[in-house]
Amino acid sequence: MADGKVAGEFKEIKNMKRILTGDRPTSDSFHLGNYVGSLANRVKLQDEYDAFILIADLHALTTHFDKTEDLEKNIRGLMLGYLSVGLDPKKVTFVLQSKVPEVLELAYFLGTLTPRAVLERQPALKEKLDQGEQDTFALFQYPVLMAADILLPKANLVPVGKDQKAHVEFARDVAIKFNNLYGEVFPLPESLIGDVPTLPGTDGQGKMSKSLNNAIFLTDSAEEVEKKVMSMYTDPKRIHPTDPGTVEGNPVFVYLDAFGTDADKPQTTNYKLLYSKGQVGDIEVKKYLVKILNNFLDPIRQRRDKLEKEPELVDRILKEGTAKARTEAQKTLAEVKKAMKLDYFV
Ligand code: TRP
């Protein structure tokens, strides 16, 4: 990584399927739920696929148009997060969406093939409006821009959460429409929905999420992790350490299963048994979890500490990936215009 070579140089990418995933830079840090839900999967996929990761700052504007001053910091934070969990710039092309303006041009063309009613029906739009987001044109055309993100680099597979599946289907539908009307330009993308677990928050009330204030971040210090774990929700019915406790769905044990190594398994199994029989206290199990989580986070912290001392390297990785993606985007867009017979007056 230190040599900052462009992705693909060390990989025979010709026969590899291309995957594209993306994140909106609405925050500068990842939490354990993001790790379990998507980052861990990406680390695995980078070896099997020609992987693109898009930082969708234009999409972030659909909800953060009044917080543009945070975007630069958030983008750097996401990059540090990706690299510190082990995404390797030799294998992954990191792309900053707004620096590939061709995506907006393609989005316009795709918009000409998109009936308004299809966009009106998208479930994600209703959800965002219910959450109080402004009913802007950019929010309305969100799936069109996302389809352009996917089709511009001719991605085959799009690993996303269930909530994004409809958007990938939209991209596929519009690609079919384009190919039928103008000729085969786009491979048809498919979503890749892994059976990724959702991690409960430290409050045990729902999914881990920054806005619910129940998250442990990859950037939390060992002390912060300890503080959060020691005040974690466990089994509310258990008053004394001698009361039999519930293991199933208890976030402490969910985390132990998710972040313990194989070597930790016998001890974890033992604690589950003792806990269910009322033979071990919450405090002892939580102290064990603190150790497990910090063991998991330490190498991530170390990589991040190193990268934080080399901000120009991190910037260069993003710029080089974006430059590579842009070259491909320009190629695709030229094909698009040729197919549409818009390659006149050039
Ligand atoms: N909509 C995605 C999200 O909110 C982010 C995203 C933008 C994306 N463009 C993409 C994901 C292209 C996959 C492919 O999570």
Side-chain angles (χ1 to χ4, degrees), residues 294-322:
N294 282 326
N295 285 345
F296 165 75
L297 289 170
D298 274 339
I300 297 175
R301 290 178 181 132
Q302 281 160 16
R303 258 180 254 149
R304 187 179 176 107
D305 285 348
K306 241 177 96 191
L307 288 161
E308 274 177 339
K309 296 194 187 89
E310 297 184 273
E312 58 309 313
L313 171 65
V314 177
D315 286 10
R316 185 153 55 100
I317 290 169
L318 183 57
K319 281 190 196 166
E320 288 184 357
T322 303

mmCIF file of all heavy atoms in Angstrom, residues 294-322:
data_model
loop_
_atom_site.group_PDB
_atom_site.id
_atom_site.type_symbol
_atom_site.label_atom_id
_atom_site.label_comp_id
_atom_site.label_asym_id
_atom_site.label_seq_id
_atom_site.Cartn_x
_atom_site.Cartn_y
_atom_site.Cartn_z
ATOM 1 N N ASN A 294 -11.324 -4.985 22.266
ATOM 2 C CA ASN A 294 -10.071 -4.255 22.087
ATOM 3 C C ASN A 294 -9.043 -5.078 21.315
ATOM 4 O O ASN A 294 -8.279 -4.522 20.531
ATOM 5 C CB ASN A 294 -9.535 -3.743 23.429
ATOM 6 C CG ASN A 294 -10.296 -2.490 23.873
ATOM 7 O OD1 ASN A 294 -10.706 -1.672 23.038
ATOM 8 N ND2 ASN A 294 -10.513 -2.349 25.174
ATOM 9 N N ASN A 295 -9.061 -6.384 21.484
ATOM 10 C CA ASN A 295 -8.185 -7.234 20.651
ATOM 11 C C ASN A 295 -8.546 -7.110 19.178
ATOM 12 O O ASN A 295 -7.683 -7.090 18.315
ATOM 13 C CB ASN A 295 -8.308 -8.715 21.038
ATOM 14 C CG ASN A 295 -7.584 -9.016 22.330
ATOM 15 O OD1 ASN A 295 -6.768 -8.212 22.790
ATOM 16 N ND2 ASN A 295 -7.883 -10.161 22.925
ATOM 17 N N PHE A 296 -9.855 -7.036 18.918
ATOM 18 C CA PHE A 296 -10.315 -6.897 17.533
ATOM 19 C C PHE A 296 -9.928 -5.515 16.974
ATOM 20 O O PHE A 296 -9.487 -5.382 15.838
ATOM 21 C CB PHE A 296 -11.835 -7.086 17.469
ATOM 22 C CG PHE A 296 -12.454 -6.629 16.177
ATOM 23 C CD1 PHE A 296 -12.317 -7.384 15.017
ATOM 24 C CD2 PHE A 296 -13.148 -5.423 16.125
ATOM 25 C CE1 PHE A 296 -12.867 -6.948 13.823
ATOM 26 C CE2 PHE A 296 -13.696 -4.980 14.924
ATOM 27 C CZ PHE A 296 -13.554 -5.749 13.774
ATOM 28 N N LEU A 297 -10.106 -4.488 17.814
ATOM 29 C CA LEU A 297 -9.900 -3.117 17.328
ATOM 30 C C LEU A 297 -8.426 -2.693 17.275
ATOM 31 O O LEU A 297 -8.078 -1.807 16.492
ATOM 32 C CB LEU A 297 -10.686 -2.135 18.210
ATOM 33 C CG LEU A 297 -12.203 -2.190 18.039
ATOM 34 C CD1 LEU A 297 -12.906 -1.364 19.121
ATOM 35 C CD2 LEU A 297 -12.615 -1.682 16.653
ATOM 36 N N ASP A 298 -7.575 -3.323 18.072
ATOM 37 C CA ASP A 298 -6.175 -2.860 18.137
ATOM 38 C C ASP A 298 -5.465 -2.791 16.785
ATOM 39 O O ASP A 298 -4.876 -1.752 16.461
ATOM 40 C CB ASP A 298 -5.368 -3.702 19.138
ATOM 41 C CG ASP A 298 -5.496 -3.147 20.559
ATOM 42 O OD1 ASP A 298 -5.842 -1.949 20.682
ATOM 43 O OD2 ASP A 298 -5.277 -3.899 21.526
ATOM 44 N N PRO A 299 -5.501 -3.848 15.980
ATOM 45 C CA PRO A 299 -4.813 -3.740 14.685
ATOM 46 C C PRO A 299 -5.433 -2.666 13.782
ATOM 47 O O PRO A 299 -4.719 -2.008 13.018
ATOM 48 C CB PRO A 299 -4.981 -5.121 14.039
ATOM 49 C CG PRO A 299 -5.765 -5.955 14.978
ATOM 50 C CD PRO A 299 -6.049 -5.192 16.220
ATOM 51 N N ILE A 300 -6.737 -2.472 13.893
ATOM 52 C CA ILE A 300 -7.406 -1.422 13.109
ATOM 53 C C ILE A 300 -6.909 -0.047 13.578
ATOM 54 O O ILE A 300 -6.588 0.826 12.773
ATOM 55 C CB ILE A 300 -8.942 -1.535 13.260
ATOM 56 C CG1 ILE A 300 -9.416 -2.880 12.691
ATOM 57 C CG2 ILE A 300 -9.663 -0.365 12.600
ATOM 58 C CD1 ILE A 300 -10.901 -3.167 12.876
ATOM 59 N N ARG A 301 -6.813 0.105 14.890
ATOM 60 C CA ARG A 301 -6.312 1.377 15.450
ATOM 61 C C ARG A 301 -4.878 1.633 15.010
ATOM 62 O O ARG A 301 -4.515 2.762 14.672
ATOM 63 C CB ARG A 301 -6.341 1.316 16.976
ATOM 64 C CG ARG A 301 -7.733 1.319 17.564
ATOM 65 C CD ARG A 301 -7.642 1.203 19.084
ATOM 66 N NE ARG A 301 -8.958 1.179 19.686
ATOM 67 C CZ ARG A 301 -9.338 0.294 20.608
ATOM 68 N NH1 ARG A 301 -8.484 -0.633 21.044
ATOM 69 N NH2 ARG A 301 -10.546 0.345 21.099
ATOM 70 N N GLN A 302 -4.071 0.573 15.037
ATOM 71 C CA GLN A 302 -2.662 0.761 14.669
ATOM 72 C C GLN A 302 -2.524 1.188 13.216
ATOM 73 O O GLN A 302 -1.754 2.098 12.898
ATOM 74 C CB GLN A 302 -1.872 -0.536 14.899
ATOM 75 C CG GLN A 302 -1.516 -0.730 16.368
ATOM 76 C CD GLN A 302 -1.179 -2.174 16.699
ATOM 77 O OE1 GLN A 302 -0.917 -2.977 15.799
ATOM 78 N NE2 GLN A 302 -1.186 -2.517 17.970
ATOM 79 N N ARG A 303 -3.277 0.543 12.335
ATOM 80 C CA ARG A 303 -3.205 0.926 10.921
ATOM 81 C C ARG A 303 -3.665 2.365 10.745
ATOM 82 O O ARG A 303 -3.084 3.134 9.990
ATOM 83 C CB ARG A 303 -4.083 -0.006 10.074
ATOM 84 C CG ARG A 303 -3.261 -1.057 9.348
ATOM 85 C CD ARG A 303 -4.150 -1.945 8.521
ATOM 86 N NE ARG A 303 -4.260 -3.234 9.165
ATOM 87 C CZ ARG A 303 -5.319 -4.033 9.118
ATOM 88 N NH1 ARG A 303 -6.383 -3.687 8.456
ATOM 89 N NH2 ARG A 303 -5.325 -5.184 9.723
ATOM 90 N N ARG A 304 -4.709 2.711 11.475
ATOM 91 C CA ARG A 304 -5.243 4.060 11.345
ATOM 92 C C ARG A 304 -4.241 5.109 11.851
ATOM 93 O O ARG A 304 -4.038 6.146 11.218
ATOM 94 C CB ARG A 304 -6.556 4.162 12.113
ATOM 95 C CG ARG A 304 -7.231 5.475 11.878
ATOM 96 C CD ARG A 304 -8.545 5.560 12.613
ATOM 97 N NE ARG A 304 -9.080 6.876 12.413
ATOM 98 C CZ ARG A 304 -10.116 7.143 11.639
ATOM 99 N NH1 ARG A 304 -10.736 6.192 11.014
ATOM 100 N NH2 ARG A 304 -10.534 8.387 11.505
ATOM 101 N N ASP A 305 -3.609 4.806 12.993
ATOM 102 C CA ASP A 305 -2.608 5.740 13.532
ATOM 103 C C ASP A 305 -1.526 6.015 12.494
ATOM 104 O O ASP A 305 -1.086 7.148 12.311
ATOM 105 C CB ASP A 305 -1.944 5.161 14.795
ATOM 106 C CG ASP A 305 -2.881 5.239 15.995
ATOM 107 O OD1 ASP A 305 -3.909 5.933 15.905
ATOM 108 O OD2 ASP A 305 -2.573 4.598 17.025
ATOM 109 N N LYS A 306 -1.102 4.965 11.832
ATOM 110 C CA LYS A 306 -0.052 5.110 10.819
ATOM 111 C C LYS A 306 -0.546 5.969 9.655
ATOM 112 O O LYS A 306 0.135 6.878 9.193
ATOM 113 C CB LYS A 306 0.347 3.721 10.287
ATOM 114 C CG LYS A 306 1.811 3.393 10.549
ATOM 115 C CD LYS A 306 2.165 2.001 10.095
ATOM 116 C CE LYS A 306 2.775 2.004 8.704
ATOM 117 N NZ LYS A 306 2.880 0.641 8.162
ATOM 118 N N LEU A 307 -1.757 5.662 9.192
ATOM 119 C CA LEU A 307 -2.317 6.394 8.047
ATOM 120 C C LEU A 307 -2.577 7.852 8.372
ATOM 121 O O LEU A 307 -2.433 8.727 7.515
ATOM 122 C CB LEU A 307 -3.624 5.734 7.593
ATOM 123 C CG LEU A 307 -3.469 4.389 6.893
ATOM 124 C CD1 LEU A 307 -4.780 3.615 6.916
ATOM 125 C CD2 LEU A 307 -3.009 4.589 5.453
ATOM 126 N N GLU A 308 -2.942 8.118 9.625
ATOM 127 C CA GLU A 308 -3.219 9.503 10.001
ATOM 128 C C GLU A 308 -1.961 10.367 9.911
ATOM 129 O O GLU A 308 -2.041 11.578 9.764
ATOM 130 C CB GLU A 308 -3.827 9.569 11.413
ATOM 131 C CG GLU A 308 -5.329 9.396 11.340
ATOM 132 C CD GLU A 308 -6.028 9.368 12.686
ATOM 133 O OE1 GLU A 308 -5.358 9.084 13.702
ATOM 134 O OE2 GLU A 308 -7.240 9.620 12.706
ATOM 135 N N LYS A 309 -0.822 9.706 9.988
ATOM 136 C CA LYS A 309 0.439 10.447 9.844
ATOM 137 C C LYS A 309 0.817 10.668 8.383
ATOM 138 O O LYS A 309 1.791 11.345 8.084
ATOM 139 C CB LYS A 309 1.568 9.689 10.561
ATOM 140 C CG LYS A 309 1.346 9.594 12.056
ATOM 141 C CD LYS A 309 2.612 9.165 12.791
ATOM 142 C CE LYS A 309 2.343 8.918 14.266
ATOM 143 N NZ LYS A 309 1.931 7.513 14.547
ATOM 144 N N GLU A 310 0.068 10.050 7.479
ATOM 145 C CA GLU A 310 0.372 10.185 6.051
ATOM 146 C C GLU A 310 -0.855 10.639 5.268
ATOM 147 O O GLU A 310 -1.315 9.949 4.352
ATOM 148 C CB GLU A 310 0.822 8.837 5.470
ATOM 149 C CG GLU A 310 2.089 8.285 6.068
ATOM 150 C CD GLU A 310 2.498 7.008 5.350
ATOM 151 O OE1 GLU A 310 2.022 5.936 5.739
ATOM 152 O OE2 GLU A 310 3.267 7.110 4.384
ATOM 153 N N PRO A 311 -1.376 11.827 5.619
ATOM 154 C CA PRO A 311 -2.620 12.249 4.958
ATOM 155 C C PRO A 311 -2.465 12.369 3.442
ATOM 156 O O PRO A 311 -3.422 12.127 2.703
ATOM 157 C CB PRO A 311 -2.923 13.605 5.597
ATOM 158 C CG PRO A 311 -1.656 14.045 6.242
ATOM 159 C CD PRO A 311 -0.884 12.818 6.579
ATOM 160 N N GLU A 312 -1.247 12.697 3.006
ATOM 161 C CA GLU A 312 -1.101 12.867 1.540
ATOM 162 C C GLU A 312 -1.199 11.517 0.823
ATOM 163 O O GLU A 312 -1.659 11.445 -0.304
ATOM 164 C CB GLU A 312 0.130 13.672 1.135
ATOM 165 C CG GLU A 312 1.516 13.233 1.549
ATOM 166 C CD GLU A 312 1.702 12.944 3.048
ATOM 167 O OE1 GLU A 312 1.285 13.723 3.926
ATOM 168 O OE2 GLU A 312 2.288 11.893 3.340
ATOM 169 N N LEU A 313 -0.804 10.456 1.502
ATOM 170 C CA LEU A 313 -0.941 9.111 0.908
ATOM 171 C C LEU A 313 -2.424 8.754 0.746
ATOM 172 O O LEU A 313 -2.855 8.281 -0.308
ATOM 173 C CB LEU A 313 -0.239 8.060 1.789
ATOM 174 C CG LEU A 313 -0.498 6.599 1.403
ATOM 175 C CD1 LEU A 313 0.084 6.266 0.036
ATOM 176 C CD2 LEU A 313 0.056 5.641 2.455
ATOM 177 N N VAL A 314 -3.191 9.019 1.795
ATOM 178 C CA VAL A 314 -4.626 8.708 1.745
ATOM 179 C C VAL A 314 -5.305 9.511 0.635
ATOM 180 O O VAL A 314 -6.086 8.968 -0.154
ATOM 181 C CB VAL A 314 -5.283 8.983 3.121
ATOM 182 C CG1 VAL A 314 -6.779 8.732 3.067
ATOM 183 C CG2 VAL A 314 -4.632 8.127 4.203
ATOM 184 N N ASP A 315 -4.967 10.785 0.538
ATOM 185 C CA ASP A 315 -5.541 11.625 -0.519
ATOM 186 C C ASP A 315 -5.156 11.093 -1.898
ATOM 187 O O ASP A 315 -5.965 11.068 -2.819
ATOM 188 C CB ASP A 315 -5.034 13.072 -0.401
ATOM 189 C CG ASP A 315 -5.698 13.804 0.761
ATOM 190 O OD1 ASP A 315 -6.382 13.146 1.574
ATOM 191 O OD2 ASP A 315 -5.535 15.038 0.851
ATOM 192 N N ARG A 316 -3.901 10.652 -2.001
ATOM 193 C CA ARG A 316 -3.413 10.181 -3.301
ATOM 194 C C ARG A 316 -4.152 8.906 -3.733
ATOM 195 O O ARG A 316 -4.489 8.729 -4.901
ATOM 196 C CB ARG A 316 -1.905 9.932 -3.228
ATOM 197 C CG ARG A 316 -1.276 9.545 -4.559
ATOM 198 C CD ARG A 316 0.186 9.938 -4.620
ATOM 199 N NE ARG A 316 0.921 9.368 -3.503
ATOM 200 C CZ ARG A 316 1.669 8.268 -3.586
ATOM 201 N NH1 ARG A 316 1.806 7.656 -4.720
ATOM 202 N NH2 ARG A 316 2.286 7.798 -2.520
ATOM 203 N N ILE A 317 -4.419 8.030 -2.764
ATOM 204 C CA ILE A 317 -5.134 6.788 -3.079
ATOM 205 C C ILE A 317 -6.518 7.119 -3.653
ATOM 206 O O ILE A 317 -6.950 6.549 -4.652
ATOM 207 C CB ILE A 317 -5.244 5.896 -1.820
ATOM 208 C CG1 ILE A 317 -3.860 5.341 -1.464
ATOM 209 C CG2 ILE A 317 -6.253 4.767 -2.029
ATOM 210 C CD1 ILE A 317 -3.795 4.677 -0.090
ATOM 211 N N LEU A 318 -7.173 8.087 -3.035
ATOM 212 C CA LEU A 318 -8.508 8.464 -3.520
ATOM 213 C C LEU A 318 -8.417 9.146 -4.891
ATOM 214 O O LEU A 318 -9.215 8.884 -5.791
ATOM 215 C CB LEU A 318 -9.208 9.369 -2.496
ATOM 216 C CG LEU A 318 -10.641 9.782 -2.838
ATOM 217 C CD1 LEU A 318 -11.547 8.577 -3.055
ATOM 218 C CD2 LEU A 318 -11.231 10.674 -1.742
ATOM 219 N N LYS A 319 -7.407 10.003 -5.047
ATOM 220 C CA LYS A 319 -7.285 10.725 -6.331
ATOM 221 C C LYS A 319 -6.933 9.769 -7.460
ATOM 222 O O LYS A 319 -7.462 9.887 -8.570
ATOM 223 C CB LYS A 319 -6.208 11.803 -6.225
ATOM 224 C CG LYS A 319 -6.680 13.052 -5.509
ATOM 225 C CD LYS A 319 -5.652 14.151 -5.657
ATOM 226 C CE LYS A 319 -5.895 15.262 -4.659
ATOM 227 N NZ LYS A 319 -4.743 16.172 -4.559
ATOM 228 N N GLU A 320 -6.034 8.821 -7.188
ATOM 229 C CA GLU A 320 -5.634 7.886 -8.250
ATOM 230 C C GLU A 320 -6.778 6.958 -8.633
ATOM 231 O O GLU A 320 -6.982 6.664 -9.810
ATOM 232 C CB GLU A 320 -4.403 7.076 -7.823
ATOM 233 C CG GLU A 320 -3.146 7.925 -7.804
ATOM 234 C CD GLU A 320 -1.873 7.143 -7.476
ATOM 235 O OE1 GLU A 320 -1.959 5.926 -7.204
ATOM 236 O OE2 GLU A 320 -0.792 7.758 -7.497
ATOM 237 N N GLY A 321 -7.507 6.501 -7.633
ATOM 238 C CA GLY A 321 -8.659 5.637 -7.918
ATOM 239 C C GLY A 321 -9.697 6.399 -8.732
ATOM 240 O O GLY A 321 -10.263 5.879 -9.704
ATOM 241 N N THR A 322 -9.930 7.651 -8.342
ATOM 242 C CA THR A 322 -10.922 8.472 -9.033
ATOM 243 C C THR A 322 -10.497 8.733 -10.481
ATOM 244 O O THR A 322 -11.327 8.682 -11.397
ATOM 245 C CB THR A 322 -11.122 9.796 -8.271
ATOM 246 O OG1 THR A 322 -11.514 9.493 -6.920
ATOM 247 C CG2 THR A 322 -12.192 10.651 -8.919
#
